[in-house]
Amino acid sequence: MDQNTPAADQDAVYDPAVAEPRWQAAWAARDCFRAADVPAGDKPKYYVLEMFPYPSGKIHMGHVRNYTLGDVVARYKRARGFDVLHPMGWDAFGLPAENAARQRNIPPARWTYDNIAAMRSELKRIGLSLDWSREFATCDPAYYGQQQKIFLDFWQAGLVERRLSAVNWDPVDNTVLANEQVIDGKGWLSGAAVEKRNLAQWFLKITDYAPELLAGLDALPRWPERVRTMQANWIGRSEGAEVTFPLTAPAGDIHDVSVYTTRPDTLFGMSFLAIAADHKLAAFAAQTNDSVRQFIAECHSAGTSEAAIETAEKRGIDTGLFVIHPFTGAKFPVWIANFVLMDYGTGAIFGCPCGDQRDLDFARKYHLPVPVVIAPADAGLDFTITDKAYDGPGLIRNSDFLDGLDSPAAKSRAIAALEERKAGRGVVNWRLRDWGISRQRYWGCPIPVIHCPSCGPQPVPAADLPVRLPEDVSFDRPGNPLDHHPSWKHVACPACGAPALRETDTFDTFIDSSWYFARFCAPEAATPTDRRAVDHWLPVDQYVGGIEHAILHLLYARFFTRAMEKCGHVGLAEPFAGLFTQGMVTHASYKNADGQWLYPEEVEFAADGAATARADGRPVSVGRIEKMSKSKRNTVDPGVIIDRFGADTARWFVLSDNPPERDVEWTESGVQGASRFLTRLFRLTARVADEAVQPHHESLSAPAKALRQATHRCIAAVSEAVEHFAFNVAIAKLHELANHLADSEKHPADPSLLWARRECAGIAAQLVAPFVPHLAEDIFARLNPGHPALVAELDWPQADPSLVALDELTIAVQIMGKLRGTILLPPGADAETAYEAALAEPNVARALAGMTIVKRIHVPDRIVNFVVRS
RNA sequence: GCGGGCGUGGUGGAACUGGUAGACGCGCCGGACUCAAAAUCCGGUUCCCAAAAGGAGUGUCGGUUCGAUUCCGACCGCCCGCACCA
């Protein structure tokens, strides 16, 4: 074939708009992706799950990326002989539906189900290999009714508690605010300063499982290391001491204050004692001291988020009370500090400014002493602390019986001394707090509890489940519509029959997503799970989702699975054997001359890159590349891309440009590149399809052998890359294969080459199938007219090891670690052979002239390095 | 503030367990085809130096090593999470 083959010679055209719906229909007609609750065959199972979407109304590129990543795995594993479960559903409860109801007067249920319908049809256009028969939404009563059953089982199992807990309270709207609705300490709608208010709420005792949740991380080798680290830090096991400080005079019925510390070795460095604003001793101090009362009130107006607390200016107030140091008998003042958290430890700390930066900042600010009790081992006697605390390892000084010890030794000595004096003890503490699950909202799963004035909280009887959300609710005033509903909450106590009130709080939506993966195994079951189905399918073999869920969602799901195990709903502790966290889809953002955000399609670019608005031709400033979001208008609608280029192009692009764990920037040129490659691959293979079919040839021409080697090396490389989630590398290898196939057109078409070309094209179709499944089917069908199977039903191609192995390797020759030449050696060549060949290399020989070789290094099949002296 | 991560040519990135830095793509440059353009095809493309030889180079600074994008320390920048957004 001629070196320059104009495309105009080629008649075959690929039209995704026609082909994609056709192949989607073919898969559906043959039920290719349907799984059984309890499969009959003996194929190994593989459960692929992507984090299910919130039905916001439109799919965005982040969804396309997330679901395409999972789809590659699902299709690959299916081809590898696994029985694959790949379901989809909707995380359908949550605040946006209530906001829509308030702003646009649409009932949350209708808004949600309309959104689901719209997103389902968009999702279907992507060509995902999903088992749609398992679809459900968490707002379906059939789902949340089972969730209520699970909650009651947890209650019976002793995993549920009711206690007071703080919420963000908007005093103007008289409503509870989510953290995201608190902006700079003010309610997002009312603008009123938010207060903390304590409400009786339900908690799940996740802390009972803290040791197991921590230890379990070691059994998750297929989780990203950083996610395990983040979870371990979040659970936060620490070993320290609880120390009791007697007050110099009783404060009401309070005689002492307990603190938790991880640094008992620095107890002699105490400068003050600080308690949380919610500490009972703070309340006592407030009784007689107006400024203390005012300070506590200020602390209560800060909002509940930890980030807000930690970033706020560190402030405190002296209560005028004193405690006695258990070792020295010295008196120290008791302060209230806004950075001491009631939820952690005992709600009180001892301030040691020399060893803790926060304590030091506090001491400097309020002119408290800074005794130095620890210093680096090599520090002199003049070691002092100015504005930087020393929290590293070191030797203890100025500390009586701890002097000269290193920190670990001093810790155990201090704990022993505390225990001797009955002034404290060594304890293990956890940062993890129990999971507050009550939400004062409508659009969530009702908590199945009835409050009776005489019997207390009573479970709703199983026969009365599900407790359904009433649909005749109004959003014309702030607060929870369930609470306002005229009749819904008024019921008879299930125990005594007296008039009682339904719980009007609903569950945290994290509960909905803490067990959906189990429900997918048997979504129709009359019980929360079908044990045969979950025993077969769980754990999820590959879970795919955003890194933003690294801690909360994944930790809650791990806890929930253990709690479900305790109640017999599942037979395992860890729900997700493999986890992959993908990056975000980003895009440049644009602002016009008036400072308004513009959509990418509203911007025009000149040859020099200058941007102007299409509407009025005025200049546009190109902003940062950031996460696609509606507010910045830097979104690209997947539907529009599929209309223009087809789903395969969108899939290929989101996979090709970046490693999946990293953010990907959506660019127009990248999409066109993807589209161009797919068209090129189609043309290349279409030309092969037009060639005469040849019998298998044992003796190969040189170009045929080279092409077969390239083909089989590509099988090996793509398989390896897919196994490691390196989809961008897999795609690069497929580009190379296409280049090899194109190169083969330059050689005379001998029969063995024609045979090799057909092999190459067919294998290429199979290798691209997980990424661009529609195009793969089209190419395959064209190459194999009348073939009974779809690519979706074929086994993954096998690489022939004899074609994958290389006969010669390029070995680098270095002198003092610098590259001076390369030599060709057969694989496995020994060191002496390598040195000999290296010394014979002209450039190496020249560089070595006049040098003495001091040392020779040989790494087989990789490198030779000479260490020399002149 | 705390915890976790990331940083490589003009650009997205590749590089197995410390062993030839820049695979593959985008862009750009040159060529073929075309009346011309688009599309397509072929070739080139880290920087310095006219080429070769050589030198520099993976955010910055320092360390370990025969050899560091990879390991260690400090710093800078960006991103994720912080318990009621999902």
Side-chain angles (χ1 to χ4, degrees):
Chain A
M1 196 167 282
D2 193 66
Q3 192 168 349
N4 297 312
T5 308
D9 293 358
Q10 305 298 321
D11 295 323
V13 231
Y14 179 71
D15 183 1
V18 175
E20 290 182 352
R22 193 172 122 230
W23 293 114
Q24 286 166 17
W27 298 324
R30 296 173 70 148
D31 247 349
C32 291
F33 314 128
R34 182 72 157 261
D37 288 0
V38 184
D42 55 358
K43 278 188 182 180
K45 69 96 182 177
Y46 202 88
Y47 186 176
V48 185
L49 184 68
E50 301 96 42
M51 291 179 186
F52 64 164
Y54 179 80
S56 59
K58 272 191 133 353
I59 62 165
H60 52 69
M61 279 302 166
H63 293 128
V64 175
R65 192 181 198 202
N66 191 180
Y67 303 136
T68 303
L69 289 171
D71 200 45
V72 172
V73 177
R75 288 179 181 271
Y76 174 76
K77 287 293 177 182
R78 231 176 253 117
R80 277 276 153 129
F82 288 88
D83 194 18
V84 170
L85 174 61
H86 188 206
M88 180 57 70
W90 310 94
D91 188 14
F93 276 134
L95 278 177
E98 292 192 36
N99 295 335
R102 289 209 162 81
Q103 285 156 21
R104 289 183 272 156
N105 203 27
I106 311 168
R110 211 187 79 208
W111 183 83
T112 304
Y113 283 105
D114 285 354
N115 284 349
I116 288 172
M119 288 177 72
R120 182 193 300 116
S121 63
E122 285 195 275
L123 222 43
K124 287 197 171 182
R125 295 187 67 199
I126 304 173
L128 303 168
S129 63
L130 290 165
D131 179 356
W132 280 102
S133 73
R134 291 170 186 274
E135 175 190 1
F136 60 77
T138 56
C139 63
D140 297 342
Y143 181 78
Y144 71 69
Q146 299 298 337
Q147 185 163 298
Q148 292 167 340
K149 173 81 175 69
I150 294 173
F151 171 79
L152 295 178
D153 289 345
F154 285 4
W155 197 358
Q156 198 148 35
L159 294 170
V160 174
E161 265 184 17
R162 189 163 171 78
R163 64 173 96 122
L164 286 178
S165 171
V167 294
N168 299 308
W169 182 258
D170 185 321
V172 168
D173 281 348
N174 286 313
T175 190
V176 176
L177 299 178
N179 280 340
E180 73 157 5
Q181 298 174 320
V182 179
I183 296 157
D184 294 332
K186 309 240 187 326
W188 66 335
L189 299 176
S190 71
V194 169
E195 301 168 0
K196 271 186 223 171
R197 183 172 278 208
N198 279 316
L199 299 180
Q201 310 207 54
W202 294 102
F203 283 81
L204 294 184
K205 291 170 74 180
I206 189 173
T207 53
D208 284 4
Y209 288 84
E212 274 192 50
L213 288 168
L214 181 63
L217 293 170
D218 292 335
L220 296 172
R222 292 202 297 117
W223 278 41
E225 184 70 39
R226 61 177 161 155
V227 174
R228 286 184 283 157
T229 307
M230 281 190 266
Q231 291 221 350
N233 290 341
W234 184 263
I235 296 166
R237 182 184 193 277
S238 65
E239 289 180 8
E242 205 170 285
V243 187
T244 305
F245 292 85
L247 286 160
T248 50
D253 58 350
I254 309 168
H255 298 273
D256 49 45
V257 185
S258 280
V259 308
Y260 172 75
T261 177
T262 57
R263 295 298 302 271
D265 52 321
T266 62
L267 263 169
F268 285 94
M270 180 165 181
S271 169
F272 58 92
L273 190 138
I275 59 175
D278 292 322
H279 198 279
K280 59 185 178 177
L281 189 59
F284 174 85
Q287 287 169 14
T288 53
N289 186 328
D290 281 343
S291 42
V292 167
R293 193 176 317 130
Q294 201 184 331
F295 181 79
I296 293 172
E298 282 169 31
C299 290
H300 282 168
S301 68
T304 57
S305 98
E306 191 182 317
I309 293 163
E310 293 282 332
T311 49
E313 189 194 352
K314 308 284 176 285
R315 293 170 54 223
I317 189 163
D318 191 343
T319 60
L321 300 166
F322 290 93
V323 291
I324 297 165
H325 195 286
F327 291 157
T328 65
K331 268 172 59 176
F332 290 97
V334 177
W335 285 65
I336 300 170
N338 64 352
F339 60 86
V340 179
L341 302 175
M342 198 57 222
D343 292 314
Y344 185 71
T346 60
I349 61 157
F350 87 89
C352 175
C354 78
D356 183 285
Q357 192 60 43
R358 245 176 7 181
D359 294 351
L360 180 63
D361 294 342
F362 193 81
R364 292 293 184 222
K365 177 165 181 152
Y366 293 106
H367 309 292
L368 296 160
V370 182
V372 175
V373 292
I374 183 163
D378 55 359
L381 283 172
D382 56 346
F383 179 78
T384 52
I385 296 282
T386 49
D387 59 352
K388 198 106 181 117
Y390 182 73
D391 59 5
L395 297 181
I396 304 295
R397 51 172 74 177
N398 304 325
S399 295
D400 192 358
F401 57 88
L402 301 179
D403 279 352
L405 298 176
D406 62 13
S407 291
K411 274 183 197 175
S412 20
R413 180 73 76 80
I415 289 170
L418 286 168
E419 286 172 352
E420 254 167 51
R421 290 160 212 224
K422 307 239 181 299
R425 63 202 169 91
V427 293
V428 170
N429 193 44
W430 303 84
R431 205 186 77 98
L432 184 67
R433 310 199 295 257
D434 276 333
W435 178 11
I437 52 169
S438 299
R439 297 291 181 270
Q440 296 70 40
R441 313 197 191 291
Y442 166 75
W443 193 234
C445 170
I447 299 178
V449 172
I450 293 167
H451 295 277
C452 172
S454 38
C455 309
Q458 295 295 315
V460 170
D464 295 345
L465 296 181
V467 177
R468 285 170 179 270
L469 281 173
E471 286 180 27
D472 53 335
V473 289
S474 68
F475 288 88
D476 48 11
R477 55 179 159 148
N480 183 355
L482 286 181
D483 204 23
H484 304 154
H485 191 279
S487 59
W488 184 79
K489 67 180 174 186
H490 299 285
V491 288
C493 168
C496 72
L501 291 177
R502 268 191 204 291
E503 170 85 46
T504 59
D505 286 354
T506 51
F507 284 134
D508 177 5
T509 56
F510 270 125
I511 292 192
D512 309 339
S513 53
S514 288
W515 71 287
Y516 74 110
F517 45 86
R519 186 69 185 169
F520 272 140
C521 300
E524 314 276 325
T527 46
T529 59
D530 174 329
R531 272 306 294 269
R532 289 195 312 150
V534 291
D535 287 349
H536 175 75
W537 286 111
L538 290 181
V540 173
D541 296 281
Q542 187 62 61
Y543 196 35
V544 186
I547 185 69
E548 66 272 22
H549 295 291
I551 296 175
L552 291 180
H553 161 58
L554 292 167
L555 190 62
Y556 289 145
R558 295 181 60 223
F559 157 68
F560 220 80
T561 304
R562 284 170 168 79
M564 287 176 76
E565 182 187 28
K566 184 174 183 183
C567 299
H569 292 302
V570 297
L572 81 175
E574 289 293 346
F576 311 121
L579 172 69
F580 187 86
T581 53
Q582 98 267 3
M584 300 179 298
V585 180
T586 63
H587 196 285
S589 53
Y590 308 101
K591 259 186 190 176
N592 70 9
D594 301 328
Q596 290 156 331
W597 298 104
L598 296 179
Y599 286 107
E601 59 267 26
E602 297 176 316
V603 182
E604 226 166 3
F605 295 92
D608 63 352
T612 51
R614 271 186 211 282
D616 52 19
R618 291 191 300 162
V620 164
S621 63
V622 179
R624 294 163 15 118
I625 293 161
E626 51 196 318
K627 183 177 178 171
M628 283 190 180
S629 75
K630 270 191 206 153
S631 60
K632 302 272 170 61
R633 297 199 165 183
N634 62 338
T635 55
V636 172
D637 182 354
V640 172
I641 298 299
I642 293 172
D643 288 342
R644 278 177 61 199
F645 299 100
D648 281 339
T649 293
R651 294 173 61 119
W652 191 260
F653 175 70
V654 293
L655 296 171
S656 66
D657 231 28
N658 274 64
E661 68 274 15
R662 235 186 274 183
D663 292 351
V664 62
E665 187 194 352
W666 184 272
T667 59
E668 180 69 18
S669 58
V671 179
Q672 278 169 0
S675 175
R676 193 183 311 154
F677 174 77
L678 296 181
T679 307
R680 176 165 174 251
L681 180 66
F682 176 80
R683 291 208 185 102
L684 280 169
T685 53
R687 287 201 282 273
V688 176
D690 289 343
E691 291 165 357
V693 179
Q694 301 290 330
H696 176 56
H697 278 259
E698 285 302 334
S699 87
L700 301 170
S701 64
K705 187 185 177 200
L707 185 59
R708 290 210 70 199
Q709 284 179 325
T711 303
H712 285 261
R713 280 170 199 156
C714 188
I715 297 173
V718 169
S719 308
E720 158 100 8
V722 170
E723 299 275 0
H724 291 96
F725 264 83
F727 300 145
N728 56 327
V729 179
I731 283 176
K733 298 296 177 188
L734 289 163
H735 273 282
E736 287 178 0
L737 186 61
N739 291 342
H740 285 295
L741 185 56
D743 284 345
S744 76
E745 294 181 355
K746 296 174 190 167
H747 301 286
D750 71 273
S752 73
L753 180 58
L754 287 177
W755 186 85
R757 280 167 51 72
R758 194 165 283 270
E759 178 191 47
C760 176
I763 285 174
Q766 287 190 264
L767 294 181
V768 298
F771 309 97
V772 285
H774 312 88
L775 177 64
E777 297 286 1
D778 222 83
I779 292 174
F780 185 81
R782 225 168 260 269
L783 287 165
N784 305 284
H787 196 289
L790 297 170
V791 177
E793 298 163 330
L794 292 178
D795 287 340
W796 193 249
Q798 293 285 320
D800 178 342
S802 69
L803 290 166
V804 173
L806 296 160
D807 347 305
E808 253 187 343
L809 295 171
T810 308
I811 311 289
V813 182
Q814 298 181 338
I815 296 170
M816 301 298 280
K818 281 193 184 293
L819 183 70
R820 292 299 175 217
T822 59
I823 51 176
L824 286 172
L825 289 176
D830 64 29
E832 285 311 318
T833 313
Y835 293 140
E836 206 172 302
L839 292 171
E841 206 280 334
N843 207 40
V844 173
R846 183 171 46 217
L848 282 174
M851 302 285 188
T852 314
I853 296 175
V854 183
K855 191 177 173 187
R856 305 181 302 180
I857 291 144
H858 173 242
V859 180
D861 296 345
R862 286 197 185 277
I863 206 163
V864 171
N865 188 13
F866 296 111
V867 183
V868 298
R869 201 172 50 211
S870 55

